[in-house]
Amino acid sequence: MKRLLMIAAALAPCAMAADIVKIDSGTLEGTVNADSSVRIFRGVPFAAPPVGKLRWQPPQAVQPWSGARKADEFGAHCVQGKVFGDINSRGKEMSEDCLYLTVWAPTKPAAKSLPVYVWFYGGGFAAGSGDEPRYDGESFARRDIVVVNVNYRLGVFGFFACPELSRESEHKASGNYGLLDQVAALEWVRKNIAAFGGDSHRVTIGGESAGSLSVSALMASPLSRDLFQQAVGESGAFFGSVGGRGSNSLAESEKQGAAFAASIGATSLAELRAKSADELLSAAMKKNNGMAFWPNVDGYFLPSDVQSIFAQGKQSQVPLLAGWNADEIRMSVTMAKEKPTAKTFLERLRQQFQDHADGALKVYPASTDEEAVRSAGDFASDNFIVFGTWKWIEMQTRTGKPVYRFQFDRAVPVPEAMKSTGLKTFGAAHATELEYVFEMLQSKKADWQPEDQKVAETMNAYWANFIRTGDPNGPGLAKWPNFAKTREVMHIDTQSKALPEEHRDRYEFLDSVQASAGSM
């Protein structure tokens, strides 16, 4: 017993030292996971609190601190409304003071610096948090990857623009503060990640939905495109429209912002900054459920729209792993009270595509009511998120860099509480791949099967391999070909396999309509 106590005493300082790091703004004291294999640093500030005069300003430098700062609790999550039911923050509060990140890193010292994965959450730029349980970086850290989960400002706090803000800016730009937060986080990673064992020149950025749109924008922006070496996108990119919504110009965003200010009786920027966060959020939630505020082409973060920057070949010339889910928003059609029929779907196509309606019917056929429901589900997903992601992938293949395309096919089982509805699965719906990618099935209640854990292990391994090497392939995994060379797509399911790409005719049709009309 005495010998064991002596060993424990000898090891204690080493364990303590492993959980203390020095970064540019001060010293952090983190914690470890249940089996002490992963170090975790929560609530790490990467920018000054964007409050008071810093509301609607680009992120500013953190004020240094003295002594060891405890990093064992998540920071506040950014101010947001209840927009999506699957977003569950673990931050103890919601606040404008929310520019914090979390770092997961292996406890065991590595022989050389480790690759880094920086993750940006989804939520329509109106909701989300880096501390959601489904984004835990523990599984990646066990695979010798340093994970950084980042908060960024949302909704009216992250994307509000108005003429007075643009005049105030040295860049004559406003809005896009949430995206500038992401740039600040990447700059923080470059300066500080070595303290956690990470390599600042082996950084992969990733995100899902709005987070994936962010990745495409970060690849395009001159402020960020040199701050990382690889990219991962899950369901989303700033190409074409997103759910029928195209890129805003700065002028459009300024006009929208001025109208919002007038609606709450604010006649100046000073009056807007004097409003409480609760008052602003309450008013914003009346505008498209808080989702009215959107990134814009501001001439600073984005000199022009993302697609134009890619067309000029000015984006990050990096390997890309990207794709989408088989059923994205198909449920919006199949579970609607009034399902489309052959007659009503044809009418919709003619209304939406007008002179191009015959072409639309060729790729979205509706000879029967059953076929109309299927095609309507396909079109809903394509118009929402699939087409833009496809276009992003297509344009990145022109760089000559490896591009790995996937489709997530696993039909996710429903939670036990929903079985009474008769629904057996959500299908491979939007965002359902997340718990698999991070190998965090336990973060969501569902009728998980052993096969689901197998899929999670497979996805986590593919992603980890890509983060480490720029290639998802590795021992024990089905071969994932480079899409840029083979036009083969990895279908991820209980038996993952690469298949020739499908439905290209649909995407090329939508692409041609966009080219002729400017938008879908």
Side-chain angles (χ1 to χ4, degrees):
M1 177 62 73
K2 183 177 180 180
R3 184 181 179 188
L4 290 174
L5 291 173
M6 290 175 64
I7 292 173
L11 290 176
C14 297
M16 180 67 74
D19 304 333
I20 294 181
V21 298
K22 179 73 170 68
I23 61 174
D24 64 346
S25 50
T27 300
L28 294 168
E29 183 179 344
T31 185
V32 294
N33 66 340
D35 65 6
S36 299
S37 63
V38 176
R39 297 182 296 157
I40 309 170
F41 297 83
R42 302 181 178 96
V44 180
F46 66 89
V51 299
K53 292 183 179 180
L54 296 185
R55 179 190 280 172
W56 301 311
Q57 284 286 324
Q60 304 297 307
V62 172
Q63 185 71 31
W65 61 84
S66 58
R69 179 188 178 112
K70 290 283 188 182
D72 55 355
E73 292 186 356
F74 292 110
H77 55 285
C78 295
V79 178
Q80 59 195 271
K82 294 290 185 182
V83 182
F84 303 106
D86 63 337
I87 291 176
N88 299 295
S89 172
R90 290 177 292 180
K92 59 183 180 182
E93 61 181 348
M94 182 170 71
S95 172
E96 284 187 85
D97 177 7
C98 64
L99 298 184
Y100 299 93
L101 53 79
T102 302
V103 180
W104 282 267
T107 301
K108 183 179 178 181
K112 60 181 181 179
S113 296
L114 300 174
V116 181
Y117 192 35
V118 182
W119 177 257
F120 302 109
Y121 52 77
F125 295 110
S129 175
D131 60 41
E132 293 179 52
R134 58 186 172 179
Y135 303 145
D136 265 20
E138 189 169 317
S139 289
F140 282 121
R142 290 179 186 274
R143 296 182 187 270
D144 288 335
I145 292 168
V146 179
V147 179
V148 182
N149 280 3
V150 179
N151 279 356
Y152 59 90
R153 281 173 281 180
L154 299 163
V156 67
F157 302 95
F159 299 96
F160 174 78
C162 72
E164 192 173 352
L165 273 172
S166 297
R167 289 194 297 270
E168 179 184 82
S169 165
E170 62 177 305
H171 307 289
K172 305 306 176 187
S174 61
N176 290 347
Y177 303 110
L179 292 170
L180 293 173
D181 294 341
Q182 297 175 9
V183 176
L186 289 173
E187 291 172 339
W188 183 95
V189 167
R190 176 153 290 188
K191 293 176 185 176
N192 294 295
I193 207 63
F196 303 87
D199 187 338
S200 62
H201 297 289
R202 295 176 67 197
V203 175
T204 301
I205 61 172
E208 183 271 340
S209 197
S212 188
L213 270 78
S214 297
V215 169
S216 71
L218 291 165
M219 289 176 68
S221 175
L223 304 184
S224 52
R225 59 189 174 211
D226 296 325
L227 293 174
F228 53 90
Q229 289 70 48
Q230 299 174 162
V232 173
E234 301 167 26
S235 302
F238 275 114
F239 290 78
S241 64
V242 182
R245 184 174 193 170
S247 298
N248 289 348
S249 67
L250 176 59
E252 289 169 334
S253 292
E254 287 178 337
K255 182 178 179 181
Q256 176 196 51
F260 175 79
S263 74
I264 58 175
T267 60
S268 69
L269 184 54
E271 289 182 13
L272 279 168
R273 285 187 170 135
K275 299 282 186 183
S276 70
D278 286 344
E279 187 174 356
L280 289 171
L281 177 62
S282 177
M285 289 299 290
K286 297 174 183 177
K287 308 288 185 182
N288 194 22
N289 201 28
M291 297 180 69
F293 300 93
W294 192 254
N296 72 75
V297 180
D298 61 355
Y300 174 50
F301 176 81
L302 288 176
S304 57
D305 66 272
V306 171
Q307 185 163 326
S308 295
I309 292 171
F310 271 70
Q312 297 167 36
K314 294 182 178 179
Q315 80 276 23
S316 297
Q317 308 284 303
V318 299
L320 174 66
L321 185 155
W324 56 83
N325 297 353
D327 301 301
E328 290 291 349
I329 59 168
R330 187 178 300 278
M331 287 179 62
S332 65
V333 174
T334 58
M335 297 191 69
K337 289 184 178 180
E338 293 187 14
K339 294 181 176 57
T341 65
K343 180 177 182 297
T344 61
F345 186 59
L346 175 59
E347 290 172 351
R348 180 187 173 187
L349 292 182
R350 293 203 179 283
Q351 180 180 16
Q352 180 155 353
F353 291 102
Q354 299 181 15
D355 294 343
H356 301 278
D358 290 341
L361 198 58
K362 288 180 181 178
V363 294
Y364 299 106
S367 59
T368 65
D369 289 350
E370 182 180 3
E371 189 175 49
V373 170
R374 184 167 61 251
S375 287
D378 291 336
F379 177 68
S381 292
D382 290 352
N383 190 45
F384 166 57
I385 213 90
V386 172
F387 168 72
T389 313
W390 173 84
K391 184 66 175 179
W392 178 27
I393 293 168
E394 286 292 304
M395 298 194 79
Q396 192 65 3
T397 61
R398 302 175 187 177
T399 65
K401 296 293 183 179
V403 175
Y404 296 92
R405 182 174 140 188
F406 74 88
Q407 180 173 297
F408 179 70
D409 291 339
R410 177 62 179 169
V412 179
V414 301
E416 193 70 34
M418 293 188 66
K419 285 191 173 182
S420 60
T421 64
L423 186 66
K424 295 182 179 180
T425 178
F426 290 125
H430 189 64
T432 56
E433 88 287 357
L434 287 168
E435 288 82 6
Y436 295 83
V437 169
F438 285 88
E439 208 172 339
M440 284 297 296
L441 300 185
Q442 69 271 25
S443 69
K444 181 167 74 175
K445 292 182 179 179
D447 187 18
W448 301 117
Q449 302 299 312
E451 292 82 3
D452 292 295
Q453 183 58 40
K454 178 183 176 182
V455 175
E457 291 169 1
T458 296
M459 289 194 82
N460 192 253
Y462 274 135
W463 265 237
N465 289 339
F466 180 80
I467 293 163
R468 280 195 294 262
T469 69
D471 185 333
N473 291 289
L477 298 170
K479 175 67 176 177
W480 188 337
N482 178 353
F483 177 78
K485 292 183 176 181
T486 66
R487 295 287 161 175
E488 288 187 286
V489 178
M490 177 55 68
H491 287 255
I492 299 175
D493 205 336
T494 52
Q495 295 295 325
S496 297
K497 55 187 175 183
L499 297 169
E501 70 168 323
E502 300 175 298
H503 312 308
R504 189 175 185 86
D505 57 342
R506 298 205 315 241
Y507 314 136
E508 288 183 336
F509 165 75
L510 296 174
D511 198 24
S512 68
V513 172
Q514 176 186 277
S516 63
S519 64
M520 283 194 290

